[in-house]
Amino acid sequence: MSPSPELTAVQRNAVTELLRVSPVADELGRRFAKAGFELHLVGGSVRDALLGRLGDDLDFCTDARPEDTLKIVKGWAEAIWETGREFGTIGLQRGGLRLEITTYRAESYDGVSRNPQVQYGDNLHDDLVRRDFTVNAMAVSLPGHEFADPFGGLADLAARVIRTPGTPAQSFGDDPLRMLRAARFAAQLRFTVDPAVVTAMEHMAADLDRITAERIRDEFSKLLCGADPVTGLRLLVDTGLADRFLPELAGLKLEIDEHAQHKDVYEHTLKVVSNAVGFDTADGGPDLILRLAALLHDIGKPATKAVGGDGGVSFHHHEMVGARMAKSRLKLLKYPKDVISPVVALVGLHLRFYGYGRGEWTDSAVRRYVTDAGDQLARLHKLTRSDCTTRNKRKAALLAADYDALEVRIARIQEEEDLARVRPDLDGNAIMELLGIPAGPVVGRAWKHLKELRLERGPLDRDEAEAELQRWARTEGLIP
């Protein structure tokens, strides 16, 4: 479909206006023109300008080679970096903006290697045709502000559809990561992926194996942090792309949950992700760790499924199995430890709350809940609430009320006891002095015993703590 002339004019004027209020771009264009070269704002920057969301990172393309670009910006740029020079890109900073200028490219892939073979191009059209999607294959010349859209990106932007400049097979054959990027744009921009593109994703999913785990991880993280990650996740599963790097997700389709709340655990998981998006967005999100935990919280269910004599389904200890599986999968995807550790902890703890409403929790249980959650307590609150997906309004209200009560109780005990820094009532030096022993494993065992006692009974006074230490030491045969 084609946008109306009025829509086209408004959107083109939006680009012109955004460039007008950002004189740095035109100033840079004049410097390139004076040196005899072309310069265009290009790709995602043009797309975002048309969407009214142009940020501080601007992308440009030019017929100038990197060495020429360096000469043009030297003395004008406030900072220059050449980390992308081997790919034809020079980065710089000016007026609070980060600018990347890339020589026209005509990249080619041999269908085997994981990285592009960079070849410089000599015209704008060839540079645009090699880009991933039509909405990213538009350009605006500088300083002339001439709009270039050879592949109908403006119409696709108006229709909110993802298409490729050439054939999808050609585009994905050049760079299979573009298949994952299509799902990412669907999640970030709430765009629909063209049926021909979806078909190519289905047929070429195995080509994703050519891509490094790090590149897949980065695209997947952007997808998961999009405005609508569930749409992107469904597309990954439906096309078979998820099977190439996250097979546990599609595997959830095989399982019915123990409460028969959803047709399968897969649908439950997507609902939990959607709920988590609501929580972290309200708090200024997106929160990658919370969303990963929501996505992976039930992946242990297929391995722990059991059917009882009455036909009931159970998944005993799936949270612990799932925590191990999450750790393994995230390691394979090359996530850093500061992501893996909290996600694994949250998956392992996500069931701990259930049973609280039956009145079985003592203050000791609450202390352990807080202590085990550690610095992930706020995320655990959100994950646990997100995991309530029952369509039974009465049950949902009861669970919410129970968790409200737990949070109030946690706040009370924290105020009284400073649970964030629970320590034994005697430190290591006191233990050594009272028992007359040197530093070593026995001190650690005594410290752990006193901490368990602290969690169980709350704070002890000095006399009580010393008496308990003496009692433990006699039990261990350390003193008569």
Side-chain angles (χ1 to χ4, degrees), residues 229-247:
V230 170
T231 292
L233 292 169
R234 286 191 187 280
L235 189 57
L236 293 180
V237 171
D238 292 345
T239 57
L241 283 168
D243 290 336
R244 315 312 305 185
F245 68 95
L246 189 62

Side-chain angles (χ1 to χ4, degrees), residues 25 28-30 32-33 37-41 60-63 101 104 140-143:
L28 183 62
R30 287 191 289 270
F32 272 79
F37 297 108
E38 299 175 0
L39 185 72
H40 301 266
L41 186 72
F60 302 85
C61 64
T62 179
D63 55 343
I101 306 168
Y104 291 153
V140 177
S141 67
L142 299 167

Side-chain angles (χ1 to χ4, degrees), residues 452-465:
E452 288 294 312
L453 203 62
R454 170 73 169 75
L455 289 170
E456 185 68 33
R457 290 168 46 182
L460 305 177
D461 63 31
R462 178 77 182 199
D463 290 342
E464 289 177 315

Side-chain angles (χ1 to χ4, degrees), residues 193-320:
V193 181
D194 183 75
V197 174
V198 174
T199 298
M201 292 164 70
E202 293 170 348
H203 291 164
M204 302 178 68
D207 286 9
L208 194 64
D209 296 348
R210 289 164 39 197
I211 304 301
T212 62
E214 290 85 352
R215 292 182 72 204
I216 290 173
R217 173 202 65 206
D218 291 346
E219 278 298 326
F220 182 64
S221 294
K222 291 175 184 176
L223 181 159
L224 204 56
C225 288
D228 181 19
V230 170
T231 292
L233 292 169
R234 286 191 187 280
L235 189 57
L236 293 180
V237 171
D238 292 345
T239 57
L241 283 168
D243 290 336
R244 315 312 305 185
F245 68 95
L246 189 62
E248 296 86 355
L249 180 57
L252 295 176
K253 278 191 167 187
L254 305 177
E255 305 301 330
I256 305 300
D257 79 357
E258 64 266 49
H259 307 297
Q261 294 171 344
H262 298 271
K263 63 182 180 180
D264 52 38
V265 179
Y266 171 72
E267 290 295 333
H268 164 73
T269 294
L270 295 183
K271 179 60 177 172
V272 174
V273 171
S274 179
N275 290 345
V277 170
F279 279 113
D280 72 11
T281 301
D283 289 343
D287 183 343
L288 176 64
I289 290 171
L290 176 63
R291 295 187 185 195
L292 279 170
L295 182 67
L296 302 177
H297 79 285
D298 272 350
I299 61 171
K301 281 189 171 178
T304 57
K305 180 181 177 181
V307 180
D310 59 355
V313 178
S314 64
F315 303 97
H316 293 308
H317 305 302
H318 76 267
E319 72 279 14
M320 304 314 298

Side-chain angles (χ1 to χ4, degrees), residues 80-128:
I80 297 174
W81 52 93
E82 301 181 45
T83 50
R85 183 168 180 169
E86 64 176 309
F87 299 107
T89 300
I90 300 298
L92 59 105
Q93 183 171 317
R94 171 81 181 191
L97 300 174
R98 290 172 56 90
L99 317 176
E100 287 199 345
I101 306 168
T102 302
T103 302
Y104 291 153
R105 295 202 304 223
E107 291 174 349
S108 63
Y109 293 71
D110 60 14
V112 177
S113 67
R114 293 172 171 174
N115 296 312
Q117 300 171 327
V118 176
Q119 298 177 1
Y120 293 135
D122 57 12
N123 65 85
L124 177 63
H125 182 280
D126 289 351
D127 182 89
L128 295 179

